[in-house]
Amino acid sequence: MLKRFILIICFTACCVILFSSCSATRFVGNGEYLLDRTNIKTDNRSITNSSLKPYLQQHSNYRIFGLLKIPLYVYNLSGRNEKRWINRQLRKMGEPPVIFNPELAEQSKNQIEQYLANSGYINARVNFSTDTARRKKAILNYNVETGIPYRIYNYNVHISDHKIDSILKLKPPRKTFFQSLFGIDAGDNTVHVRQGMLFDRVVLNRERQRISTLLRRNGYYAFNRDNIEYTADSSFNEHRVDLDMYIRPLETEISNGASGGNAYNRQYYINSVKILTDYDPFNPEETGEDYHITDSTSWRGINIYYGKNGRSIRPQIFQQSCYIVQGRLFNEQNVEQTYESFSALNALRYVTLKFTEFEKSDTMKLDCTILTAPAKKQGVYFDVEGTNSAGDFGFASSLTYQHRNLFKGSELFSAKIRGGYEYLSAKLAGNYWEYAGEASIHFPHFVFPFVNYDFKRRIRATTEFKMSYDQQQRPEYHRSILSGGWIYHWQNRNNTMGRHTFKLLDVNYVFLPYIEGAFKEKLPETTALYNYSNQFVVSTGYVYSFNNYDPMERGKNTYSYRVAIESAGNLMYTLSNILGAKKDASGRYNLFGVNYSEFLKGDLDFARSFTIDMRNNVAFHIGAGLAYPFGNTKEIPFDRRYYAGGANSNRGWNVRSLGPGSMPLTDSTSFINQAGDIRLDINLEYRTKLFWKFELAAYVDAGNIWTIRKYDYQPKGDFDFRRFYKEIALSYGLGLRLDFNYFLVRFDTGMKARNPQENSKWVILNPNFRKDFAWHFAVGYPF
């Protein structure tokens, strides 16, 4: 095995040498130079190279892991005949050589100087030189001397309007503990400019935007950042600036053709709100007299005009989604919330808002028109997918029917039937079949009595009711699962990065009509009792997840966390006491002749991604979980237990093949034995762009699972503080990904480095490719 592993390493090295041997200057003409490397040297530690690189007009060809220019090598594999298909594809997938351009180098110098001047280093100087000693290759060196920065000495704000002055002096809202801990915006009204800070024009613009946003949330519809001006006096020549900020009027035109004068300092009130339900985006003129009205109604100050589709959506739904209120001051935040709420309605495919301004009785007014277009009510979808469970391949297909406006309240009804087949390994001598059906309905609001109306307005919520039936047929057993759920999902409208999920009721009834005698005899007594018998699992759970990822800021450092808790059996235990149920021979309560489970379960996951540049980032994840059985249960149901190994866990192991603890592996060990009640996952991953849509990842995974109690069929699988750190498994590997923007496909490989279930735990010292290697195919990032 060691020889095979060495051969693979040698083969990989040969491929690298082959790529490297391709002349990097193959397509570099005479008198031209390939920009081999760009170096930036600065005399100021506070100015980092990463902050200056975006202003370079030329970057050298990309190096994978900072070593190999594989994208350039791919491009150079193409021939000179551009008409050949293979050459066009190689050039499309690769990266052409970057030819050094002195004019672009001069532009880069000017851009860096401008950036430094905007950051307060007004006297900064940048010089560059080129080294062309190597044949057809150039190394470009920038030398940055920032000089002494200018700072704000005196700062004065000049506001002639007393009302605006009072709004800007309002104290910012206090952040909660979690908002402070994770940097969540609580309505930013914090002044950015202060005395003593660097004379940074980016910060000055940020202050202009803050003031503009604050005023537009307090009725100043015509106000924008252009109304704010700065004057700076640096005549002292002592690297300090006297800064003055002025809020000045701008002439505006209102809809009746008259000049608005100083309209910037006048507050606007909402005069009327109307909704057109059948707007045609392809005929935008049909919004006035040409709009064909078939029905109309007024609901809490909102005028609703139905078109050719009639009263397709109940007026209450429109009113609940509209945060623009007649008679109140204009508020830009209410406009944003209205747009988000209407866009979330499944029954609509298009939403836009328009405002018409006018003056009446010396008061500025706004007429708001909300234009909506209905979505297609019904649809049928067919899907086919491939499956891979621990090396057992199969396929599945499903047929889904959806209705997006079932009760004229934008309710989404979905019904789905699914069938699947999986070829099992020869050890089991059989196949796996699965037949399932499910139905669900989503309401675009809270469905619960006594919920306060203002609370409903503060959050963006959906209510889900679902039922499903799943029949599984394996050679060892047949199992049927009947499930139902009552679930709430919601987000605070001021914090859309956080998401709440509350499972008010989650019911699972498991029925086993057949179980093979030989298989049952091999099962440990507790496993057969708690996992392979008829039972109820009735639980309540709550999940909070937060993710600050913004697709508009792809270079930003991101983080996410998830907290989940689940409690099962409380309702069933209460019913058992009310009905005076008696325990069976095994000492368990059963209700209507079926046993039920009691347990508590909690999970915590945290992930963070650090951006190195636009093509490289490092991602980190740590997760932990604990499940505790009590009362009517001595062992957590198998479907609720943790497992280790797989595409989203420790990738040196196949799914459900690691742990628990240091339990020895034997020929009789199966996936049933390799489950636990405690989990620990730690992952570190370096991700880099290759070429075209390909990405490469190098990673290290650590973790394991343990049982919370000692079970005879899982020796050394229990969690013990004295040895658990010795039972942490380690693996490493490489992964190849295809990023199609909307989804990502990955092929990950892993090699065991430390296996706590082997006598010789550091298997990295004596690798066995057949035994220690695993591969995984999955969709999406692992964390």
Side-chain angles (χ1 to χ4, degrees):
M1 293 300 111
L2 180 59
K3 291 181 179 179
R4 180 177 295 182
F5 182 72
I6 293 174
L7 286 173
I8 292 174
I9 297 296
C10 293
F11 175 76
T12 304
C14 290
C15 291
V16 171
I17 293 171
L18 175 64
F19 271 122
S20 302
S21 64
C22 298
S23 174
T25 59
R26 180 180 182 183
F27 291 100
V28 178
N30 293 328
E32 295 180 334
Y33 294 94
L34 174 72
L35 183 58
D36 190 52
R37 191 177 296 273
T38 302
N39 301 317
I40 302 177
K41 183 180 179 181
T42 175
D43 62 352
N44 192 329
R45 292 184 178 180
S46 62
I47 302 297
T48 62
N49 287 357
S50 59
S51 66
L52 299 179
K53 282 184 177 180
Y55 299 95
L56 297 178
Q57 302 302 300
Q58 271 193 313
H59 297 268
S60 58
N61 287 100
Y62 176 63
R63 284 180 166 88
I64 304 300
F65 299 135
L67 300 173
L68 300 173
K69 299 180 180 180
I70 292 181
L72 174 61
Y73 299 152
V74 172
Y75 183 94
N76 285 346
L77 287 174
S78 67
R80 297 187 180 276
N81 186 352
E82 298 182 0
K83 295 182 178 180
R84 294 186 62 186
W85 179 86
I86 185 64
N87 291 339
R88 292 199 308 271
Q89 297 306 311
L90 287 171
R91 293 190 178 193
K92 182 178 179 181
M93 296 171 64
E95 182 183 45
V98 178
I99 306 301
F100 170 67
N101 187 329
E103 293 182 0
L104 293 179
E106 184 67 28
Q107 291 179 21
S108 300
K109 166 186 171 296
N110 296 335
Q111 288 288 330
I112 294 174
E113 286 183 344
Q114 185 62 50
Y115 164 74
L116 293 172
N118 290 338
S119 301
Y121 298 91
I122 297 176
N123 296 322
R125 294 293 177 264
V126 180
N127 297 303
F128 70 88
S129 61
T130 55
D131 180 0
T132 57
R134 299 176 63 186
R135 182 177 179 272
K136 286 192 174 184
K137 291 184 179 181
I139 298 177
L140 182 58
N141 299 301
Y142 289 92
N143 185 49
V144 179
E145 297 177 358
T146 61
I148 301 174
Y150 279 70
R151 295 185 178 274
I152 297 174
Y153 184 67
N154 291 313
Y155 176 54
N156 299 296
V157 179
H158 305 275
I159 304 174
S160 58
D161 189 281
H162 297 293
K163 188 173 290 186
I164 291 179
D165 185 51
S166 63
I167 292 173
L168 297 182
K169 288 182 178 179
L170 289 174
K171 291 184 178 180
R174 298 184 64 180
K175 290 187 176 183
T176 65
F177 171 76
F178 285 104
Q179 287 173 334
S180 300
L181 182 63
F182 296 105
I184 302 172
D185 181 20
D188 187 12
N189 192 21
T190 303
V191 177
H192 297 292
V193 181
R194 61 186 184 278
Q195 290 181 342
M197 64 171 284
L198 286 174
F199 180 55
D200 191 330
R201 299 182 189 184
V202 174
V203 176
L204 300 186
N205 285 329
R206 195 181 302 155
E207 176 70 0
R208 294 171 69 199
Q209 186 60 49
R210 180 193 72 85
I211 294 173
S212 177
T213 300
L214 183 62
L215 293 179
R216 286 178 63 83
R217 290 183 178 184
N218 284 274
Y220 293 89
Y221 169 79
F223 194 92
N224 62 69
R225 55 186 293 172
D226 293 332
N227 294 105
I228 303 172
E229 296 179 355
Y230 291 101
T231 61
D233 183 3
S234 60
S235 58
F236 296 101
N237 198 27
E238 296 178 358
H239 299 98
R240 64 186 191 186
V241 174
D242 284 343
L243 185 67
D244 293 273
M245 185 188 75
Y246 298 88
I247 296 183
R248 303 185 186 278
L250 291 177
E251 291 291 324
T252 60
E253 289 285 336
I254 57 179
S255 59
N256 58 14
S259 173
N262 294 347
Y264 85 98
N265 64 353
R266 299 180 68 180
Q267 291 176 302
Y268 284 69
Y269 289 82
I270 302 299
N271 180 66
S272 66
V273 180
K274 69 177 179 179
I275 300 173
L276 305 185
T277 65
D278 286 280
Y279 170 70
D280 185 356
F282 298 103
N283 293 294
E285 297 82 10
E286 295 183 1
T287 57
E289 296 180 356
D290 295 332
Y291 183 76
H292 180 61
I293 300 174
T294 60
D295 194 2
S296 64
T297 185
S298 180
W299 191 270
R300 295 192 177 184
I302 299 176
N303 299 312
I304 304 171
Y305 299 95
Y306 293 97
K308 59 184 178 181
N309 291 301
R311 191 170 291 204
S312 55
I313 300 178
R314 300 194 306 273
Q316 299 97 315
I317 302 301
F318 284 125
Q319 189 276 326
Q320 290 173 5
S321 302
C322 184
Y323 292 82
I324 303 170
V325 181
Q326 183 182 22
R328 293 189 181 179
L329 283 171
F330 168 82
N331 187 329
E332 188 176 50
Q333 189 175 34
N334 291 343
V335 176
E336 294 169 355
Q337 292 178 350
T338 299
Y339 180 80
E340 290 175 357
S341 297
F342 272 77
S343 298
L345 295 177
N346 295 296
L348 302 178
R349 66 177 174 90
Y350 179 87
V351 178
T352 190
L353 285 77
K354 291 185 177 180
F355 289 93
T356 304
E357 57 181 302
F358 62 94
E359 186 174 7
K360 182 180 180 181
S361 301
D362 203 31
T363 302
M364 301 304 295
K365 299 280 189 178
L366 289 171
D367 284 335
C368 175
T369 302
I370 303 174
L371 306 171
T372 70
K376 187 178 179 181
K377 285 186 179 181
Q378 303 178 68
V380 178
Y381 311 94
F382 179 74
D383 292 318
V384 178
E385 61 186 79
T387 61
N388 176 21
S389 300
D392 294 331
F393 293 92
F395 68 90
S397 61
S398 62
L399 184 67
T400 304
Y401 165 78
Q402 284 188 344
H403 194 298
R404 298 180 179 85
N405 195 21
L406 188 62
F407 302 123
K408 295 188 176 182
S410 194
E411 302 89 356
L412 176 63
F413 172 77
S414 178
K416 180 179 180 180
I417 56 173
R418 182 180 184 275
Y421 166 82
E422 193 172 280
Y423 174 76
L424 301 179
S425 60
K427 184 189 297 185
L428 295 175
N431 300 315
Y432 170 67
W433 293 89
E434 182 178 8
Y435 313 95
E438 61 181 72
S440 65
I441 183 168
H442 288 76
F443 294 87
H445 53 81
F446 259 103
V447 178
F448 197 83
F450 315 117
V451 176
N452 184 276
Y453 175 77
D454 292 334
F455 175 74
K456 288 183 177 181
R457 299 273 289 178
R458 284 199 306 271
I459 62 174
R460 188 168 66 191
T462 61
T463 304
E464 178 185 4
F465 297 97
K466 65 177 183 179
M467 288 192 66
S468 65
Y469 176 76
D470 189 359
Q471 185 179 94
Q472 304 167 358
Q473 296 182 5
R474 294 179 62 93
E476 317 98 309
Y477 61 85
H478 295 174
R479 180 167 62 177
S480 299
I481 303 173
L482 182 63
S483 303
W486 182 350
I487 307 169
Y488 295 101
H489 308 274
W490 76 91
Q491 293 176 295
N492 190 307
R493 296 192 180 276
N494 294 324
N495 175 25
T496 56
M497 296 180 180
R499 181 177 176 85
H500 305 260
T501 299
F502 176 54
K503 296 181 180 180
L504 179 63
L505 189 64
D506 188 13
V507 181
N508 288 271
Y509 170 60
V510 181
F511 172 65
L512 277 82
Y514 165 76
I515 182 168
E516 186 185 48
F519 173 75
K520 188 173 183 180
E521 289 178 2
K522 293 179 181 179
L523 292 174
E525 182 179 352
T526 53
T527 302
L529 183 63
Y530 292 103
N531 297 304
Y532 288 91
S533 62
N534 301 339
Q535 60 179 296
F536 267 126
V537 177
V538 181
S539 65
T540 299
Y542 170 78
V543 179
Y544 177 73
S545 58
F546 178 89
N547 192 331
N548 76 334
Y549 173 74
D550 185 350
M552 303 301 294
E553 300 180 11
R554 302 198 69 174
K556 174 184 174 183
N557 293 342
T558 63
Y559 62 90
S560 64
Y561 63 92
R562 177 181 176 273
V563 181
I565 186 169
E566 181 181 15
S567 175
N570 296 332
L571 178 61
M572 304 296 285
Y573 183 80
T574 302
L575 288 174
S576 296
N577 283 299
I578 292 175
L579 300 176
K582 295 182 180 180
K583 295 184 178 180
D584 58 18
S586 61
R588 303 174 67 195
Y589 282 115
N590 58 64
L591 197 63
F592 311 119
V594 180
N595 294 318
Y596 59 86
S597 300
E598 284 186 276
F599 61 86
L600 281 173
K601 185 178 180 182
D603 290 275
L604 177 63
D605 288 273
F606 177 81
R608 181 140 197 180
S609 176
F610 301 92
T611 298
I612 300 173
D613 53 44
M614 294 305 294
R615 303 189 68 155
N616 297 274
N617 68 83
V618 176
F620 168 77
H621 165 258
I622 182 170
L626 171 66
Y628 179 74
F630 65 92
N632 214 43
T633 304
K634 293 182 180 179
E635 183 177 319
I636 300 293
F638 181 77
D639 291 338
R640 294 296 207 276
R641 300 188 82 185
Y642 299 113
Y643 64 88
N648 298 322
S649 180
N650 205 319
R651 283 164 281 190
W653 282 260
N654 288 318
V655 64
R656 296 186 184 274
S657 64
L658 171 61
S662 55
M663 182 188 74
L665 299 179
T666 65
D667 292 338
S668 61
T669 302
S670 69
F671 68 93
I672 299 169
N673 304 77
Q674 297 190 277
D677 314 311
I678 300 172
R679 74 172 175 96
L680 176 65
D681 291 304
I682 304 173
N683 313 91
L684 181 64
E685 187 168 286
Y686 182 89
R687 300 165 182 167
T688 182
K689 299 284 186 182
L690 283 176
F691 53 87
W692 192 48
K693 298 183 181 298
F694 286 100
E695 293 183 7
L696 185 68
Y699 39 80
V700 177
D701 300 324
N704 205 338
I705 55 172
W706 295 267
T707 62
I708 201 166
R709 295 172 180 167
K710 290 185 177 181
Y711 299 112
D712 293 337
Y713 73 99
Q714 293 176 307
K716 295 185 179 181
D718 61 305
F719 184 87
D720 190 326
F721 274 105
R722 294 170 296 182
R723 71 170 196 271
F724 87 94
Y725 61 93
K726 300 177 183 178
E727 298 171 337
I728 294 177
L730 294 174
S731 68
Y732 60 95
L734 293 174
L736 185 65
R737 286 89 189 267
L738 271 170
D739 186 0
F740 294 100
N741 295 326
Y742 297 103
F743 70 97
L744 179 139
V745 179
R746 60 186 169 98
F747 176 77
D748 288 351
T749 62
M751 282 290 292
K752 299 178 180 66
R754 188 177 191 279
N755 189 348
Q757 295 177 282
E758 294 281 352
N759 292 327
S760 179
K761 302 188 185 304
W762 288 101
V763 295
I764 191 174
L765 301 176
N766 187 24
N768 183 320
F769 188 78
R770 177 178 295 178
K771 184 179 178 182
D772 298 330
F773 176 79
W775 63 272
H776 314 276
F777 181 79
V779 176
Y781 286 113
F783 52 88

